[in-house]
Amino acid sequence: SMGSLGRRAERYPGAMASPDPTEIEAWHEAGHAVVAHLLGGRVVSVSLEPEEDGYGGRSAIQWRTSDEASMASLSGRVALAGPIAEVERFGGHELDDVHVLAAWEADWQEIERCAAVLAPEPERQRRVVESWAREVRALLLDAGVEELVARVADALDAHGELDETLFEDCLG
């Protein structure tokens, strides 16, 4: 959609040649899916097809827990993983301030929702999100994890959607 492309252009003011939007979206969704997998989630599918609300791709993840706080902690980190993977790969933002990630509206809404489950006060919510962001960033900067994200992103770019079997094939 033009909306997401417009947001992309704002996100990469310093980029010389704009990367292909599908490639960016694929890397973003792969970030969500790989981090979900590393946190113990079962990735049922991952897709570049937009949600009904017009946002980018989506991942279907099943967790082994139904505890609200545990779910919020997992889901918040997975929501951060898409934007952080995208920024680490394509640049355009300094990650010193986690709030730059608010540019990714759907992910940021989920991040804020999850933080509010764990902490009532805004100051504590901010600290929760910052600690999640540090953890997710450390995961994504690991060379082995980056390789997994690259493989999932390539497969997504090629197929548009991965079921559980195709996703697991990417993990080797």
Side-chain angles (χ1 to χ4, degrees):
S1 75
M2 276 315 294
S4 68
L5 284 178
R7 288 206 300 277
R8 289 271 138 69
E10 287 158 31
R11 280 183 215 160
Y12 304 109
M16 292 300 289
S18 228
D20 168 43
T22 312
E23 190 192 343
I24 297 171
E25 193 67 64
W27 198 273
H28 179 112
E29 288 307 316
H32 285 309
V34 168
V35 167
H37 165 76
L38 294 172
L39 293 175
R42 183 175 154 218
V43 178
V44 179
S45 68
V46 51
S47 171
L48 296 180
E49 282 302 302
E51 292 276 23
E52 288 66 44
D53 63 10
Y55 283 111
R58 59 178 188 269
S59 304
I61 298 150
Q62 291 177 353
W63 300 104
R64 291 188 190 89
T65 180
S66 55
D67 172 67
E68 191 188 16
S70 303
M71 289 279 290
S73 174
L74 292 162
S75 191
R77 286 177 286 170
V78 170
L80 279 162
I84 290 176
E86 190 180 322
V87 170
E88 293 294 356
R89 176 77 174 81
F90 298 102
H93 279 303
E94 291 304 315
L95 282 176
D96 307 338
D97 179 5
V98 74
H99 287 87
V100 300
L101 301 178
W104 287 261
E105 290 134 272
D107 289 325
W108 190 253
Q109 282 170 12
E110 176 63 6
I111 291 157
E112 289 193 316
R113 184 194 71 76
C114 292
V117 169
L118 297 182
E121 312 87 8
E123 183 53 35
R124 273 188 56 215
Q125 289 170 14
R126 189 178 62 77
R127 286 203 299 270
V128 164
V129 173
E130 284 172 354
S131 85
W132 286 343
R134 280 193 300 274
E135 182 188 345
V136 168
R137 207 174 165 194
L139 267 180
L140 290 167
L141 288 172
D142 175 89
V145 173
E146 195 176 359
E147 173 63 29
L148 293 181
V149 175
R151 279 193 248 152
V152 172
D154 285 348
L156 263 178
D157 212 359
H159 300 288
E161 179 155 10
L162 306 177
D163 62 14
E164 194 170 5
T165 308
L166 281 172
F167 176 75
E168 285 178 356
D169 286 348
C170 295
L171 304 178

